[in-house]
Amino acid sequence: MTTESMQAHSFLAGGGEMGALIRAYDWERTPLGDPVIWPQALKTSVRLLLSTGHPMFIWWGPDLIQFYNDAYARSIGPERHPNALGQCGRECWDEIWDVIGPQIEHVMNGQGHTWHENQLVPITRYGSVQDVYWTYSYGPIDEPAAPNGVGGILVVVTETTEQVLTEQRLKTAEARWRSLFDQAPGFMCILRGPDHIVEFANQRYYELVGPRETLERPMRDSLPEVQSQGFLELLDNVFRSGKAHVGTAMPVRFNRGSATGPDQRYIDFVYEPICDHLGNTIGILIDGYDVTEHILAHNALREQDRRKDEFLAILGHELRNPLAPIRNASELLLLSESQQSRECELAEIISRQTSQLTRLVDDLLDVSRITTGKFALQKSRVGLREATAMAIESVQPMLGETKQELTFPPGEELYVYADHARLVQCITNVVGNAIKFSPAGGQIKVSIREQGESAIINVNDNGVGISEAMLPRVFELFSQDALALAHTQKGLGIGLSVVREVIEMHGGEVHAYSEGPGSGSSFDIILRLAPPIDRTALPTLNSRKPASREVLIVDDNVDAADSLARLLKHVGHEVSVTYTPEQALALASGFRGDVVLLDIGLPGMDGYSVARRLRSGGFDGLLIAITGYTQTTDVQRALDAGFDIHLSKPVNFDALRQLLAN
């Protein structure tokens, strides 16, 4: 090529692979002819195309003859490159002409440029049709001699497929997690930056706070009512420290548009910091649950439980109060030397039935204490034979009614670690059941044996027996066998339930056995043995005659107070009686006696207050609470008030006599 020719073709210099292809192309075979004669506008455009690293493309003339550079060649695939060079546009892009044809026509008709951002233009490349996205402009190349003054089109293009697909994936992911958040059972909210700008909140969140403008607003603006409740300070602390905060059953008030004012809710929530790749906190995720209904239900149950406890305490008190004078009266009748045999028989009936009613009240209250977890054991070393003997002694009146024979053979004492009173109660219940469900003249055998590391108390009878269907349920609360009910209507079906619960609290077991109706029953109470008591270390009992005590009785139940006073006088004590707390305090100022028997449920001033006044006034004798309030908390409250001993109404007179004697 001559120097002159080289100068004429200088606008085709450079351009890499495409520059070389353009220079080598036989343009004489196209309507354009030799590049020397190309219009200046085309030469300038081609020079621009070959001089840039940005993808560019040119359509020229009515046939839309094509030019493109290296940057553009990389995006069209081997199906078109390099054949697209010099090719007619319609022939090259027939598969997408419905998309680009109108755009080209728009420019070639002199209607100005076009702009297309992230335009989907599917093309065949690398063997398949691909969804390809482009951002491009079609700009007119001015040529005065051409129709409409437009000689061709300069295309400045960028493939944005990866960018668009990435954005689509992000939008899909965002839509997915937003959907997930909206389906979450709890409320969720995402905050951005130190001002806690609300970026996202799910439907549960709006159900909690009520309808309001929230998104892209600081939390303090969208929820102004919580500023005084400490929640914004917690958010600030989480953002500064980068440490999560967990709240449980936190009360919060929201202005939810109610006519009654702010709505009180309770929430469980977590403030979880959101961190960037450097570990810096950039936001906070709020995740939680509205637990208002749960808290209100829990509070209601707790209130019901409190009221039930109050009711049971009052019930126990009211039931025990009338039992006290009845028991005292029967004891007086039995102690009277002048009474006739018929009167003695009636007194024994009253005494037996009073004891039965007292046991029934005790069982009812014990069931409640056990089920509410308020049943406490006072354990010590207990001799099983001694405890069993006490239980048998307590049911002797029942044996007298039915002419039954109860045997309890002697043997070596076995010791367990137990609550003495509760153990006696359990054995009494089991033996009492054997008596109730055995016929007149029946036989009841009580025995104690050692087996390995355990002791077993067995109560066996030849009574009505237990049906096969009832046997697995015999220890359930209020469980009654129709067979047993046919023989007796005594009891409510709670005694054995109490026995099982109390024995299991001791770490023991209780089992029932029966071959069926008419074959009797057998019960085993199994307890772990304790080391034997060293009898040489036991104190020697004083066998002297009990000393006379000076006793003050304070009880607003006149019958109970007077009958107890007569009993104590009958066994040799000096007794004073008063019925009001004011009289008690007046008498106590000059009282130098040994013992005060003080009721708790006094009018005007309760026994706890009287006890404290007595102690502060200098009384240092024995202060005994005699009351129908028998729960564990009542016992502790009595001890805290200055009482030495707490006794339940109706008081076992033999136990009281022994207490005063010692």
Side-chain angles (χ1 to χ4, degrees):
M1 184 179 293
T2 64
T3 301
E4 183 179 347
S5 176
M6 292 178 60
Q7 290 176 347
H9 291 83
S10 61
F11 71 93
L12 297 176
E17 177 191 4
M18 287 308 302
L21 289 173
I22 291 172
R23 289 190 295 272
Y25 194 84
D26 185 4
W27 294 106
E28 295 287 348
R29 297 187 318 172
T30 71
L32 296 182
D34 191 320
V36 174
I37 64 172
W38 291 353
Q40 186 58 46
L42 176 57
K43 292 180 179 180
T44 302
S45 299
V46 171
R47 183 68 200 142
L48 175 63
L49 177 143
L50 295 176
S51 302
T52 180
H54 194 87
M56 286 187 179
F57 189 92
I58 294 173
W59 280 303
W60 186 261
D63 295 323
L64 301 176
I65 303 300
Q66 301 180 145
F67 300 84
Y68 57 95
N69 60 8
D70 284 352
Y72 186 85
R74 289 191 288 269
S75 64
I76 60 175
E79 286 82 359
R80 288 184 173 84
H81 173 70
N83 296 331
L85 180 63
Q87 191 176 16
C88 293
R90 178 62 184 262
E91 180 184 344
C92 181
W93 299 108
D94 185 65
E95 67 175 334
I96 57 170
W97 201 254
D98 60 328
V99 177
I100 66 173
Q103 300 168 0
I104 294 171
E105 185 177 350
H106 175 90
V107 178
M108 294 299 289
N109 287 339
Q111 294 177 289
H113 76 281
T114 64
W115 170 256
H116 311 277
E117 187 170 359
N118 297 327
Q119 170 81 52
L120 173 60
V121 185
I123 65 171
T124 300
R125 65 180 181 183
Y126 302 107
S128 64
V129 177
Q130 299 180 5
D131 285 344
V132 186
Y133 293 85
W134 315 83
T135 293
Y136 58 94
S137 68
Y138 288 172
I141 302 174
D142 296 335
E143 174 55 44
N148 304 312
V150 178
I153 298 174
L154 175 64
V155 182
V156 180
V157 61
T158 299
E159 182 180 348
T160 58
T161 302
E162 285 304 316
Q163 174 188 335
V164 171
L165 293 180
T166 299
E167 290 177 356
Q168 289 178 351
R169 285 192 292 268
L170 290 174
K171 287 181 180 180
T172 300
E174 181 180 355
R176 186 178 295 116
W177 69 254
R178 283 180 180 270
S179 175
L180 180 64
F181 275 30
D182 277 329
Q183 295 176 42
F187 61 85
M188 303 184 80
C189 182
I190 294 177
L191 309 181
R192 180 183 71 247
D195 293 328
H196 315 306
I197 306 297
V198 181
E199 269 193 355
F200 171 77
N202 69 355
Q203 184 59 37
R204 297 288 188 205
Y205 178 83
Y206 290 109
E207 291 174 3
L208 175 68
V209 305
R212 61 181 72 205
E213 292 292 330
T214 298
L215 297 182
E216 296 304 321
R217 300 184 65 190
M219 181 66 79
R220 61 178 50 85
D221 293 341
S222 65
L223 289 176
E225 66 267 35
V226 305
Q227 290 198 51
S228 60
Q229 301 180 53
F231 290 92
L232 294 182
E233 288 82 355
L234 290 176
L235 286 172
D236 291 338
N237 289 338
V238 171
F239 194 89
R240 283 195 301 267
S241 68
K243 296 180 180 178
H245 176 84
V246 179
T248 303
M250 292 285 288
V252 57
R253 297 179 303 279
F254 295 112
N255 294 328
R256 293 151 55 98
S258 172
T260 58
D263 188 9
Q264 175 82 52
R265 311 300 293 175
Y266 295 87
I267 57 175
D268 290 348
F269 66 93
V270 177
Y271 288 165
E272 186 72 38
I274 301 172
C275 300
D276 61 16
H277 66 286
L278 297 176
N280 299 316
T281 302
I282 58 174
I284 295 174
L285 168 66
I286 300 176
D287 181 19
Y289 294 88
D290 184 350
V291 294
T292 304
E293 300 307 320
H294 171 76
I295 295 299
L296 294 180
H298 175 74
N299 290 343
L301 287 174
R302 189 163 56 184
E303 176 63 15
Q304 289 178 7
D305 190 51
R306 185 190 65 79
R307 291 182 179 182
K308 183 187 69 176
D309 286 346
E310 287 181 356
F311 169 76
L312 288 172
I314 294 171
L315 176 65
H317 179 266
E318 294 304 312
L319 288 174
R320 291 177 188 279
N321 264 340
L323 288 175
I326 295 173
R327 168 171 274 181
N328 293 341
S330 66
E331 294 286 348
L332 279 170
L333 289 173
L334 291 172
L335 290 172
S336 174
E337 297 176 357
S338 61
Q339 70 177 16
Q340 301 298 316
S341 59
R342 177 60 178 168
E343 293 173 343
C344 182
E345 182 181 343
L346 294 175
E348 289 175 348
I349 292 173
I350 295 171
S351 178
R352 286 195 301 272
Q353 295 306 315
T354 302
S355 297
Q356 175 68 11
L357 186 55
T358 301
R359 280 196 296 271
L360 182 60
V361 172
D362 287 339
D363 284 348
L364 283 169
L365 296 179
D366 283 346
V367 166
S368 173
R369 292 167 186 156
I370 290 170
T371 56
T372 55
K374 298 176 181 177
F375 190 95
L377 299 176
Q378 304 295 326
K379 290 185 179 181
S380 61
R381 289 183 182 275
V382 176
L384 282 184
R385 300 197 64 80
E386 178 267 337
T388 304
M390 285 189 66
I392 292 173
E393 182 180 351
S394 70
V395 299
Q396 284 296 330
M398 297 173 64
L399 288 169
E401 285 183 319
T402 58
K403 309 301 182 183
Q404 293 164 330
E405 180 184 354
L406 189 152
T407 58
F408 178 40
E412 182 182 354
E413 183 65 285
L414 300 177
Y415 293 91
V416 296
Y417 193 59
D419 184 314
H420 183 277
R422 297 303 182 185
L423 182 56
V424 172
Q425 175 190 0
C426 291
I427 301 171
T428 301
N429 267 327
V430 176
V431 176
N433 267 8
I435 295 172
K436 284 192 294 184
F437 298 116
S438 294
Q443 295 183 341
I444 298 155
K445 299 177 182 178
V446 181
S447 62
I448 299 176
R449 70 180 188 274
E450 183 176 353
Q451 183 172 299
E453 297 182 350
S454 299
I456 301 176
I457 306 170
N458 176 258
V459 179
N460 187 280
D461 66 67
N462 63 346
V464 298
I466 305 172
S467 66
E468 182 179 358
M470 185 62 191
L471 194 59
R473 301 173 46 240
V474 71
F475 295 105
E476 293 179 7
L477 186 61
F478 304 125
S479 183
Q480 295 271 41
D481 193 349
L483 177 66
L485 288 174
H487 289 77
T488 177
Q489 295 295 323
K490 297 177 181 178
L492 296 176
I494 60 177
L496 289 180
S497 175
V498 172
V499 170
R500 181 181 65 178
E501 295 290 346
V502 172
I503 294 301
E504 287 182 353
M505 288 177 69
H506 281 83
E509 302 174 18
V510 58
H511 300 287
Y513 309 93
S514 178
E515 295 298 325
S519 60
S521 305
S522 180
F523 286 80
D524 282 345
I525 297 175
I526 306 172
L527 293 168
R528 186 179 180 83
L529 285 167
I533 295 177
D534 183 1
R535 295 183 180 275
T536 61
L538 295 176
T540 303
L541 295 177
N542 191 339
S543 61
R544 293 180 302 169
K545 182 180 178 179
S548 174
R549 306 293 185 190
E550 186 176 350
V551 181
L552 173 62
I553 298 176
V554 185
D555 195 336
D556 62 319
N557 186 324
V558 176
D559 289 341
D562 290 348
S563 58
L564 182 58
R566 291 177 63 184
L567 275 172
L568 291 174
K569 287 178 181 179
H570 187 85
V571 295
H573 298 295
E574 298 180 17
V575 185
S576 301
V577 179
T578 182
Y579 311 114
T580 67
E582 294 78 15
Q583 292 175 353
L585 293 173
L587 284 175
S589 61
F591 180 67
R592 295 293 179 266
D594 305 302
V595 182
V596 174
L597 301 176
L598 177 58
D599 184 32
I600 297 297
L602 296 170
M605 181 188 305
D606 62 30
Y608 303 122
S609 300
V610 174
R612 283 189 284 268
R613 295 275 292 274
L614 289 175
R615 289 305 191 195
S616 64
F619 178 69
D620 59 358
L622 188 64
L623 189 54
I624 302 176
I626 296 183
T627 176
Y629 297 116
T630 60
Q631 299 195 53
T632 304
T633 53
D634 299 322
V635 177
Q636 187 58 51
R637 190 177 176 190
L639 297 177
D640 293 342
F643 285 99
D644 298 296
I645 297 171
H646 180 284
L647 296 179
S648 301
K649 288 183 177 180
V651 175
N652 183 309
F653 185 67
D654 287 337
L656 178 61
R657 184 163 52 181
Q658 280 293 106
L659 184 63
L660 297 181
N662 294 331

